[in-house]
């Protein structure tokens, strides 16, 4: 009876809410994760060739970076309104908006990582007969991975937060629960959905950090300390 009273008294922390709405929370979390993952993967697929284009054609670097920055400054409501005639009230509308928002972070970090590759590494690879394609995939991209992964982590955490905005078209994952709870100020639902968003962002960041450490083992190699002369 006391457990049910927390719903009546509208407490922030309510075990009965978690028990009675568990399936609703699971469905919203799954939708949130799905939209985030798809958006980030598509964003990465679009950002990579844009970064390569900007690097190979210096004249295009400014326009590419400028365009992605402008897209990031467009308010979410305006962005979704502009995309609405093309996608309607669908998940594709939200995903497309999130992809566009992720480009400014991903393009800049990929480009910065590629430009930071030491020139002597490129020259050594060319001296060994590496062509441009092999040079990119076997030398430049591995050395650019730390910067690329850093951008991917930032873009993913940002997308987890921005996905909630999709609630305006009913495709916001946990954001749907927050929006539904605001008119009546259903405290337990607002708090639970918000905490789950934060946990998703932290979990995604830790997962990508672990992947980064797995893919870049050389960054963990420490130079042995020299002994002090006696």
């Amino acid at each position: 009876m006391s457990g049910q009273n927390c719903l009546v008294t509208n407490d922030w922390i309510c075990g009965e809410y978690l028990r009675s709405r568990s399936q609703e929370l699971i469905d919203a979390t799954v939708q949130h994760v799905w939209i985030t993952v798809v958006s980030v993967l598509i964003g990465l697929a679009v950002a990579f060739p844009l970064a390569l284009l900007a690097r190979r054609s210096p004249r295009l670097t400014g326009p590419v970076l400028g365009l992605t920055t402008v897209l990031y400054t467009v308010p979410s409501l305006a962005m979704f309104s502009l995309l609405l005639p093309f996608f309607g009230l669908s998940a594709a509308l939200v995903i497309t908006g999130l992809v566009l928002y992720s480009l400014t972070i991903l393009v800049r970090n990929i480009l910065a990582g590629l430009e930071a590759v030491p020139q002597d590494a490129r020259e050594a690879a060319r001296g060994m007969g590496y062509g441009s394609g092999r040079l990119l995939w076997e030398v430049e991209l591995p050395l650019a991975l730390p910067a690329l992964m850093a951008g991917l982590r930032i873009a993913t955490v940002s997308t987890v937060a921005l996905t909630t905005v999709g609630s305006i078209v009913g495709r916001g994952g946990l954001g749907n629960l927050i929006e539904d709870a605001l008119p009546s100020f259903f405290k337990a639902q607002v708090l639970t959905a918000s905490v789950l968003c934060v946990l998703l962002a932290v979990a995604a960041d830790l997962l990508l950090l672990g992947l980064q450490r797995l893919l870049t083992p050389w960054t963990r190699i420490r130079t042995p300390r020299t002994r002090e002369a006696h």
Side-chain angles (χ1 to χ4, degrees):
M1 196 64 187
S2 59
Q4 295 179 356
N5 286 338
C6 65
L7 290 175
V8 177
T9 57
N10 194 23
D11 295 338
W12 284 105
I13 301 176
C14 182
E16 179 62 21
Y17 169 75
L18 296 176
R19 188 195 66 79
S20 60
R21 305 289 183 88
S22 59
Q23 190 58 51
E24 185 178 10
L25 288 169
I26 291 172
D27 292 342
T29 302
V30 169
Q31 184 186 69
H32 204 109
V33 171
W34 177 76
I35 290 176
T36 298
V37 171
V38 172
S39 300
V40 172
L41 289 179
I42 296 177
L44 187 61
V46 174
F48 190 70
L50 284 177
L52 291 181
L53 180 64
R55 188 191 63 156
R56 292 179 180 176
S57 302
R59 292 180 300 176
L60 296 178
T61 301
V64 169
L65 295 179
L67 176 61
T68 56
T69 300
V70 168
L71 289 173
Y72 193 77
T73 62
V74 177
S76 55
L77 290 177
M79 178 71 78
F80 289 157
S81 298
L82 292 172
L83 296 174
L84 184 60
F86 302 97
F87 300 99
L89 299 176
S90 64
L93 170 66
V94 179
I95 291 173
T96 303
L98 295 176
V99 168
L100 294 177
Y101 282 132
S102 71
L103 292 181
T104 184
I105 300 171
L106 293 173
V107 170
R108 287 179 181 275
N109 279 70
I110 294 172
L111 186 59
L114 292 173
E115 291 181 342
V117 175
Q119 187 60 33
D120 56 353
R122 293 191 178 96
E123 293 175 356
R126 292 192 184 98
M128 297 173 63
Y130 280 44
S132 57
R134 190 181 177 190
L135 174 64
L136 172 65
W137 291 105
E138 296 186 19
V139 178
E140 293 179 319
L141 190 56
L143 293 176
L145 267 180
L148 189 156
M149 291 300 298
L152 185 60
R153 289 170 59 194
I154 297 172
T156 301
V157 171
S158 175
T159 303
V160 170
L162 286 172
T163 296
T164 58
V165 182
S167 60
I168 62 177
V169 295
R171 298 293 190 278
L174 293 166
N176 294 340
L177 299 182
I178 296 174
E179 184 181 30
D180 292 343
L182 287 178
S184 61
F185 197 47
F186 188 0
K187 295 178 181 178
Q189 184 159 305
V190 171
L191 179 62
T192 302
S194 300
V195 169
L196 285 174
C197 281
V198 174
L199 292 177
L200 282 179
V202 172
D205 188 54
L206 292 176
L207 181 63
L208 289 173
L209 177 60
L211 179 61
Q212 178 180 341
R213 290 173 63 85
L214 181 65
L215 294 176
T216 58
W218 62 87
T219 61
R220 305 195 303 273
I221 299 176
R222 297 181 178 178
T223 305
R225 297 180 179 177
T226 57
R227 291 186 176 180
E228 294 182 1
H230 295 284

